[in-house]
């Protein structure tokens, strides 16, 4: 991947608790040696999983955090007040095992909705988790939070600040229920710069807006979406206010790389469709158009079939609610213009078009006219495998 | 289907023009012996097919209509101004063949987007179409407008008015791009009552709102959706203003039966999912909830898998934007309550649940609380066959 070092001052622990049949590691702790400036973003879904509600409570109570505790296999969503009790109990167990107090740990869960956490499995696994602390790597952490993901998602970067070099590392899991406003997605961004907390929160929110909030696998927003970002200052490098944009850029780059992996590894996905809309009267109009196209079953299925079916894209654009003049709209596949002046301007059977759809990345460029509004959405295709996975997810 | 007679004063003609490979009948004309009160509804898609633009022009020019001309195989959409010229030429050809003038005929096309109409095929077929006038039945008409439909869609009814009995007959085609605000749907409603034109238009709009606008196969709204409704008075029975509701009921019943068939015959569909939302603060909130659930890929796929996956339904509800209190939401499958008070209240593995998902019709009842808002949406499931059809539609 890349040779950069991990952020200083963090330890990782993973264990196999047996939340999933396959014996894979499914429990992960990331611990900062010191309290860290902490930012958190959660799902926009009106149904919040228990860990989301518990975490919101902990964050509202203020205080700084030292650890995050993620589990895969059970989402602890749709479990009512009991689910919150169970979540708090897991924090107590992990705190005791890692020598923290429960208020310093933020929880996140992913997996099947509705099942209660199996607390006896948690208890039984705590000694192994404690014993592993410092032995696991960020790669192990990323691996332990996977559900239907095919590969762990991790990205690193270094950022040069006046005070020296700071390191960042991001880990995420995705696969299904991936959609605008994050996903069934758990993500962790660690940084060893010292960053003033309010600034860190602003930078994190902006980086997420520019990355995770611009991907779509199936248009379904989950109940558990959670991103935590910690900056612990262990590098001794302080990020000054006038260096915010540099740090911002690096954070956005990491989260964008993770967001790309989410789409690349979307359930059953074979394509990453880059829907790039420009020339709209506003960014909001461009976003409407991009989301309508990126979430269209017919467009996603055509891309799977490597079919230059511009008609479906134009139809999705036309029903998007975006403001534009149909006669000004233009569409290109991989730089080849196929539609303009309200009609086709290239044969759908042109071999060059077929070529532009063969690779993993497909580029759809839509120009809606002379406006300055633009938006890019990354979307996966819709495949037989997606149906396989989701028609039999629980069996 | 049923023994009711067809409306009086209409003749039908169908022919095989060769717009499609299989030699099936793909051109259909319905002719009223006298000018008829005419109502028309079109797609909300910003990209209109040429026949939609031409028809809007004819309707704006006023006058009464005597015939509709439908073709399957070529949508004449995304064909620019040339497409409108082609469409007008087909009206001239059909008018000459049927002894009408072109301004008395309303056009509609369905099929592949982007291809120009093949006018030489139209010309060559006109004698056969003229020779068939009066020989074809409404069933033949419904058969000739099919594209990927598996069966013709037709429904009849009689309505008893003070002046006597009037007859209605509806014909439609659907399959793909089926969504809110009509579908890639062509529909024709014929009635032999005499109805004042403004009243007929109001009744038609309301009947469509209560039927076709409440179905979804894939959430994609097409460029060609068209419904024409003619009332020619051939029965000699006049619908009085105070009989509007009786007539309305009958029209809604016919269109609802056709709408059900659209979902039943949705591309690859094996299920008809009845998403019934009640207890919402408003009908608009109930509709938001129903559409979010009925259009969710994950819900549709779970229903295909006969998986009582209430978590996906709750997640779709939670992101719908509908106003409600999560703790008040309740969900039942086929009358069996599975979710309330924010958590599961029945095992997903209960055999009774499995039973409720086995049939073609699946009933999802959501209560959002104590409000009076309600909405019902009919949605199809998402299947391997859907992917087969749409990944290879053009090949």
């Amino acid at each position: 991947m890349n040779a950069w070092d991990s952020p200083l001052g963090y330890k990782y622990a993973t264990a196999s608790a047996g939340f999933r049949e396959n014996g894979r590691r499914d429990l992960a702790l990331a611990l900062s040696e010191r309290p860290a400036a902490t930012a958190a973003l959660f799902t926009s879904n009106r149904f919040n999983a228990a860990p989301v509600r518990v975490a919101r409570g902990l964050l509202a109570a203020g205080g700084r955090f030292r650890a995050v505790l993620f589990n895969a296999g059970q989402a602890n969503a749709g479990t009512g007040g009991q689910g919150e009790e169970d979540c708090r109990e897991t924090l107590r167990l992990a705190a005791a095992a890692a020598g923290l107090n429960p208020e310093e740990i933020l929880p996140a869960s992913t997996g099947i909705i509705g099942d209660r956490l199996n607390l006896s499995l948690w208890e039984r696994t705590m000694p192994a988790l404690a014993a592993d602390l410092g032995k696991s790597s960020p790669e192990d952490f990323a691996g332990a939070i996977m559900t239907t993901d095919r590969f762990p998602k991790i990205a690193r970067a270094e950022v040069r600040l006046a005070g020296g070099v700071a390191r960042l590392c991001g880990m995420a899991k995705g696969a299904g229920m991936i959609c605008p406003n994050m996903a069934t997605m758990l993500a962790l961004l660690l940084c060893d710069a010292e960053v003033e907390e309010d600034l860190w929160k602003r930078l994190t929110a902006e980086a997420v807006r520019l990355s995770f909030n611009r991907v779509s696998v199936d248009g379904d927003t989950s109940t558990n979406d959670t991103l935590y970002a910690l900056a612990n200052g262990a590098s001794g490098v302080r990020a000054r206010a006038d260096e915010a944009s540099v740090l911002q850029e690096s954070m956005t780059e990491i989260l964008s790389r993770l967001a790309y992996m989410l789409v690349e590894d979307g359930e059953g996905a074979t394509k990453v469709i880059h829907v790039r809309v420009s020339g709209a009267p506003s960014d909001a109009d461009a976003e409407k158009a991009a989301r309508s196209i990126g979430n269209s079953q017919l467009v996603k299925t055509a891309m799977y079939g490597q079919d230059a079916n511009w008609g479906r894209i134009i139809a999705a654009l036309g029903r998007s609610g975006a403001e534009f003049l149909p006669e000004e709209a233009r569409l290109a596949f991989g730089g080849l213009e196929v539609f303009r002046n309200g009609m086709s301007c290239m044969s759908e059977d042109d071999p060059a078009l077929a070529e532009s759809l063969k690779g993993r990345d497909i580029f759809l460029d839509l120009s809606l006219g002379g406006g300055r509004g633009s938006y890019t959405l990354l979307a996966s295709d819709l495949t037989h495998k997606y149906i396989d996975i989701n028609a039999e997810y629980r069996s």
Side-chain angles (χ1 to χ4, degrees), chain A residues 161-218:
Chain A
L161 303 173
V165 170
R167 294 151 210 81
L168 298 103
C169 179
M171 293 144 273
K173 64 82 54 180
M177 275 202 193
I178 301 293
C179 173
N181 308 314
M182 306 221 285
T184 208
M185 184 199 89
L186 303 185
L188 176 62
L189 176 62
L190 301 177
C191 177
D192 61 13
E194 183 186 347
V195 191
E196 186 275 317
E197 182 137 356
D198 287 347
L199 174 61
W200 182 244
K201 286 176 173 163
R202 278 203 310 280
L203 295 178
T204 301
E206 180 65 3
V208 167
R209 187 182 73 81
L210 294 171
S211 57
F212 287 129
N213 285 355
R214 298 189 171 207
V215 303
S216 175
V217 168
D218 53 19

Side-chain angles (χ1 to χ4, degrees), chain A residues 262-338:
Chain A
L262 290 189
V263 175
E264 175 189 6
D265 194 22
E267 285 178 334
T270 68
K271 302 288 187 186
V272 177
I273 310 165
H274 302 246
V275 185
R276 304 189 292 206
V277 179
S278 62
S282 73
D283 289 350
D285 286 298
E287 179 173 358
K288 278 183 196 168
R291 292 202 185 280
S292 179
I293 293 162
N295 287 325
S296 162
Q297 280 186 37
L298 284 168
V299 172
K300 286 170 174 288
T301 312
M303 295 302 96
Y304 170 51
Q306 305 189 15
D307 172 5
N309 195 322
W310 56 264
R312 294 182 186 172
I313 294 164
I314 290 305
L317 169 61
R319 67 179 169 78
S320 67
E323 279 303 320
F324 69 99
L325 297 174
E327 56 276 20
E328 290 184 357
R330 298 174 173 201
L331 170 65
F333 284 92
L336 304 167
E337 192 161 72
V338 295

Side-chain angles (χ1 to χ4, degrees), chain A residues 229-244:
Chain A
L230 275 61
N232 69 357
S235 65
V237 178
R238 197 180 192 317
R240 302 189 322 236
D242 65 0
E243 297 176 312

Side-chain angles (χ1 to χ4, degrees), chain A residues 41 48 57 70 93-94 162 170 216 228 236 239 262 270 305 310 330 344 364:
Chain A
L41 288 161
N48 296 154
F70 287 12
L93 291 167
S216 175
Y228 294 129
L262 290 189
T270 68
W310 56 264
R330 298 174 173 201
S344 169
L364 303 183

Side-chain angles (χ1 to χ4, degrees), chain A residues 21-155:
Chain A
E21 303 66 29
N22 55 22
R24 269 225 353 258
R25 292 182 171 233
D26 48 18
L27 184 59
L29 180 82
L31 172 68
S32 170
E33 69 187 17
R34 63 179 78 178
T38 303
L41 288 161
F42 300 103
T43 181
S44 59
N45 196 301
R46 194 170 275 248
F47 283 100
N48 296 154
V52 171
R53 297 198 300 272
V54 169
R56 284 204 167 111
L58 289 166
L59 289 155
R64 307 187 91 193
F65 297 88
R66 286 191 56 197
V68 301
L69 179 68
F70 287 12
N71 76 281
Q74 297 174 300
N76 194 11
T79 48
Q82 180 64 59
E84 295 181 42
E85 262 322 298
D86 294 344
C87 178
R88 287 194 197 87
E89 177 57 21
T90 64
L91 294 179
R92 283 189 287 270
L93 291 167
L100 301 164
N101 51 59
E103 296 70 27
E104 296 180 297
I105 311 178
L106 290 166
S109 299
T110 180
I112 293 165
I113 295 177
D115 298 356
R116 263 193 69 183
L117 296 180
N118 183 331
L119 291 176
S120 61
L121 289 181
W122 283 78
E123 280 178 45
R124 190 186 314 155
T125 314
M126 281 304 143
L129 189 70
D132 188 66
L133 192 56
K135 297 202 181 69
S136 277
S137 65
E139 280 73 9
D140 297 323
F141 186 100
I145 62 176
M146 297 195 301
T147 52
T148 52
D149 303 64
R150 287 171 302 181
F151 58 84
K153 296 161 187 64
I154 183 162

